[in-house]
């Protein structure tokens, strides 16, 4: 595992050292040991408390998951009161203590209560290191991380920070978060269930299922709503506008206070008819929240009694969440889930009132780290739960469409993302007001990562964590095989 450890360390130190001030970097240079790591500055950058005891020349590092004690000019150290030995001695130059990189990961695994040499142990360590650092930099009070290896039946879920800072309630694996547009793959699953049941055909114009659906053509580009199909809606190629034009988030009951308002969905077709298409159908990729609301209404209309809001909630609760064993997940935040909710924050120090999103199919879902881990196993195994074997794989394939101007490719509810270093992942991200989430997969290796947080300022935090952890997990698993 040593080769991977070195790779992991390089990734960690890039993020850690940018937070350390110039005097520490100078101290490293003065020590003429640039490959060594300064103990105090590095551990403090990770949120630890570091104390020097001159009597026994010891350095005590208090981490969230345990305590490390080092001794100057000695290889011996203690991790949570258990004696252990470093490969290299700790040493001090000009009052700055240093530890060798080969020992860094080794001691952190013991100080953060990660089992050494367990499956994906370095990825778990990466999560434990990066989460507090990124939360601090992004002013995020709470975060949950779930990592799964569906091929190995492996799950790891960890909460960081606080669901409620004023009451000191920590984030745990069953803390409820809004997951925003990560809701969209669930709506896509509902649609595909009806496709498998023969109720919906992806390539039949949806006006045949929803006779009251209409929207005006683009004044400049044209378009005909009568040609729009479920496949176009699922792949964001329908030409529908992203959403209604809102002067406030409460227009059209798009959001509401105190409780959900069914009016947004129940009046959606009537309001949409007053709008214009942005592009002709099947010509341009254009992300559309309205398109996914329309898909949810299609599901409700085909399975319910003309109350789009209630029928969509009933269908998804019964056919997705109950079937998947996702006990604290739903498209609505009801009284049973509210006590478990991570409080919404404007930043790490400013709690705010929960705002209820009413466009359920496009972004209102709430879930937990444990529930999303269950879902990721189902999606990555693709062996017949929720949908017939092979359907999820089909949904994750890019649509046969020219996405060259989009910066990504899109399948039936799932996007393909490519990083600057060429890493390709499948999944979906989400952001609305106080909550940010990311669900990301490396399908070939069976690895999945879910991250969610509870602050307006946390969009970058969820994105960085998800991509970083998935890439590290892929590297680690490839080294272990």
């Amino acid at each position: 595992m040593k080769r991977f450890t070195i790779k992991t360390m390089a990734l960690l130190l890039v993020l850690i050292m940018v937070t350390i001030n110039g005097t520490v970097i100078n101290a490293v240079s003065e020590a003429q040991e640039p490959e060594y790591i300064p103990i105090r500055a590095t551990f403090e950058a990770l949120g630890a408390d570091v104390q020097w005891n001159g009597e026994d020349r010891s350095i005590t590092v208090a981490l969230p998951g345990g305590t490390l004690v080092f001794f100057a000019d000695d290889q011996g150290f203690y991790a949570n009161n258990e004696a252990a030995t470093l490969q290299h001695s700790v040493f001090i130059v000009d009052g700055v203590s240093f530890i060798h990189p080969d020992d860094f990961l080794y001691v952190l695994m013991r100080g953060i209560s990660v089992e050494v040499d367990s499956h994906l142990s370095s990825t778990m360590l990466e999560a434990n290191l990066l989460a507090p650092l990124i939360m601090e930099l992004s002013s995020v009070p709470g975060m949950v991380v779930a990592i799964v290896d569906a091929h190995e039946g492996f799950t790891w879920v960890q909460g960081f920070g606080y669901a409620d800072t004023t009451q000191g309630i920590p984030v745990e694996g069953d803390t409820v978060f809004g997951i925003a547009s990560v809701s969209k793959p669930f709506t896509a699953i509902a649609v595909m269930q009806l496709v498998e049941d023969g109720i919906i055909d992806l390539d039949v114009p949806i006006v045949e299922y929803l006779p009251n659906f209409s929207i005006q053509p683009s004044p400049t580009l044209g378009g005909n709503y009568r040609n729009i199909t479920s496949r176009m809606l699922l792949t964001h190629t329908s030409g529908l506008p992203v959403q209604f034009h809102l002067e406030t988030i409460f227009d059209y009951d798009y959001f509401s206070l105190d409780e959900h308002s069914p009016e947004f969905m129940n009046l959606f077709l009537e309001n949409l008819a007053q709008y214009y298409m942005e592009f002709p159908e099947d010509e341009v990729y254009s992300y559309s929240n309205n398109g996914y609301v329309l898909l949810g209404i299609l599901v409700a209309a085909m399975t319910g009694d003309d109350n789009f809001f209630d029928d969509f909630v009933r269908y998804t609760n019964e056919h997705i969440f109950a079937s998947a064993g996702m006990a604290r997940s739903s498209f609505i935040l009801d009284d049973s889930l509210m006590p478990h909710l991570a409080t919404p924050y404007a930043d790490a120090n400013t709690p705010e009132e929960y705002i209820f999103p009413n466009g359920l199919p496009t972004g209102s879902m709430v879930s937990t780290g444990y529930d999303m881990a269950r879902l990721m196993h189902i999606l990555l195994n693709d062996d017949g739960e929720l949908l017939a074997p092979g359907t999820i794989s089909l949904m994750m394939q890019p649509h046969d469409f020219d996405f060259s101007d989009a910066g990504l490719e899109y399948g039936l509810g799932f996007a393909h993302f490519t990083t600057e270093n060429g890493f390709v992942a499948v999944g979906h991200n989400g952001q609305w007001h106080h909550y940010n989430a990311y669900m990301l997969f490396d399908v070939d290796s069976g690895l999945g990562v879910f991250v969610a947080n509870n602050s307006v300022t946390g969009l970058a935090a969820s994105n960085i964590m998800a991509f970083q952890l998935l890439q590290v997990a892929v590297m680690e698993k490839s080294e272990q095989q």
Side-chain angles (χ1 to χ4, degrees):
M1 185 171 156
K2 185 175 181 182
R3 282 190 299 144
F4 175 73
T5 299
I6 294 171
K7 293 178 185 176
T8 303
M9 181 115 72
L11 292 170
L12 290 172
L13 291 180
V14 167
L15 287 173
I16 293 168
M17 296 307 292
V18 296
T19 68
I20 299 173
N21 63 43
T23 59
V24 172
I25 296 173
N26 290 338
V28 178
S29 299
E30 291 169 7
Q32 299 299 310
E33 293 285 1
E35 74 274 16
Y36 274 75
I37 296 170
I39 291 176
R40 176 180 294 278
T42 304
F43 280 100
E44 285 183 347
L46 297 172
D49 179 65
V50 182
Q51 299 293 332
W52 164 256
N53 185 327
E55 292 186 9
D56 60 3
R57 291 170 57 79
S58 66
I59 306 106
T60 300
V61 178
L63 290 155
T67 301
L68 303 168
V69 181
F70 305 102
F71 299 92
D73 303 315
D74 199 328
Q75 291 176 244
F77 78 104
Y78 286 89
N80 301 321
N81 297 318
E82 293 186 5
T85 304
L86 302 172
Q87 296 181 49
H88 308 269
S89 293
V90 168
F91 68 93
I92 297 178
V93 175
D94 295 333
V96 178
S97 58
F98 295 89
I99 187 172
H100 194 280
D102 287 350
D103 293 316
F104 184 57
L105 186 65
Y106 176 74
V107 300
L108 279 172
M109 283 182 171
R110 285 152 176 79
I112 303 182
S113 301
V114 173
E115 183 180 349
V116 180
D117 296 330
S118 68
H119 188 56
L120 299 183
S121 59
S122 293
T123 307
M124 291 184 282
L125 175 66
E126 180 100 347
N128 276 286
L129 290 174
L130 294 186
L133 180 60
I134 291 176
M135 289 166 62
E136 176 68 23
L137 294 174
S138 301
S139 194
V140 169
M143 177 182 289
V144 69
V145 175
I147 301 170
V148 305
D149 184 343
H151 294 173
E152 300 293 332
F154 171 84
T155 298
W156 182 79
V157 181
Q158 181 66 51
F160 300 93
Y162 293 95
D164 189 315
T165 59
T166 58
Q167 299 186 53
I169 300 173
V171 171
E172 297 179 339
D174 56 1
T175 300
V176 172
F177 286 82
I179 66 170
S181 284
V182 181
S183 306
K184 287 181 172 69
F186 290 85
T187 297
I189 289 169
V191 170
M192 294 304 293
Q193 288 177 337
L194 299 188
V195 170
E196 291 186 344
D197 290 341
I199 296 172
I200 293 173
D201 186 315
L202 288 180
D203 298 309
V204 168
I206 65 165
V207 72
E208 295 192 19
Y209 305 115
L210 298 172
N212 292 332
F213 162 60
S214 68
I215 186 171
Q216 301 176 65
S218 164
T220 56
L221 300 174
N224 188 343
Y225 74 90
R226 294 184 177 276
N227 297 325
I228 294 175
T229 65
S230 299
R231 190 185 301 275
M232 295 176 196
L233 294 170
L234 286 166
T235 57
H236 296 291
T237 58
S238 69
L240 292 189
V242 59
Q243 61 192 32
F244 297 141
H245 301 303
L246 305 176
E247 293 185 9
T248 76
I249 61 173
F250 302 109
D251 290 354
Y252 300 94
D253 288 306
Y254 201 84
F255 291 89
S256 57
L257 298 174
D258 300 323
E259 62 182 3
H260 288 286
S261 171
E263 295 307 300
F264 178 81
M265 284 187 65
N266 290 338
L267 297 176
F268 181 81
L269 294 179
E270 178 181 329
N271 289 323
L272 187 65
Q274 312 305 312
Y275 270 75
Y276 296 87
M277 296 175 66
E278 288 191 353
F279 303 99
E281 69 282 2
D282 203 28
E283 289 191 11
V284 176
Y285 168 86
S286 180
Y287 190 85
S288 176
N289 288 321
N290 278 343
Y292 267 74
V293 175
L294 188 57
L295 285 168
I297 287 173
L298 176 63
V299 170
M302 295 296 98
T303 63
D305 301 313
D306 295 328
N307 185 316
F308 297 144
F309 183 94
D310 290 343
D311 292 337
F312 181 76
V313 171
R314 175 196 52 77
Y315 180 87
T316 51
N317 280 348
E318 292 178 4
H319 294 271
I320 297 180
F321 305 124
S323 297
M326 300 174 70
R328 288 190 179 177
S329 298
S330 179
F331 273 94
I332 61 171
L333 180 67
D334 59 21
D335 291 342
S336 69
L337 298 177
M338 182 66 82
H340 309 290
L341 178 71
T343 300
Y345 283 79
D347 54 50
N349 301 307
T350 312
E352 295 195 335
E353 186 175 2
Y354 185 83
I355 299 174
F356 290 80
N358 297 316
L360 304 188
T362 197
S364 76
M365 222 186 102
V366 293
S367 191
T368 71
Y370 284 132
D371 278 5
M372 292 301 293
R374 292 187 185 95
L375 186 277
M376 289 192 291
H377 277 283
I378 291 171
L379 297 182
L380 287 164
N381 285 321
D382 193 15
D383 57 5
E385 288 192 66
L386 296 182
L387 290 163
T391 298
I392 295 295
S393 295
L394 174 66
M395 295 172 69
M396 290 186 178
Q397 294 300 312
H399 178 42
D400 183 15
F401 189 84
D402 182 5
F403 289 100
S404 56
D405 294 331
L408 52 73
E409 295 181 298
Y410 213 92
L412 303 177
F414 294 88
H416 281 236
F417 305 98
T418 303
T419 66
E420 291 182 358
N421 64 3
F423 180 75
V424 179
V426 180
H428 214 290
N429 63 338
Q431 187 273 333
W432 69 263
H433 212 51
H434 301 101
Y435 297 95
N436 304 275
Y438 227 121
M439 177 175 66
L440 211 56
F441 305 113
D442 183 75
V443 176
D444 291 342
S445 64
L447 295 168
V449 171
F450 170 76
V451 178
N453 65 64
N454 58 334
S455 174
V456 172
T457 58
L459 178 60
S462 63
N463 294 1
I464 292 170
M465 284 291 292
F467 276 100
Q468 178 79 356
L469 293 180
L470 185 61
Q471 290 182 82
V472 170
V474 171
M475 286 192 295
E476 181 174 13
K477 185 173 182 179
S478 67
E479 292 288 347
Q480 291 177 337
Q481 291 176 338

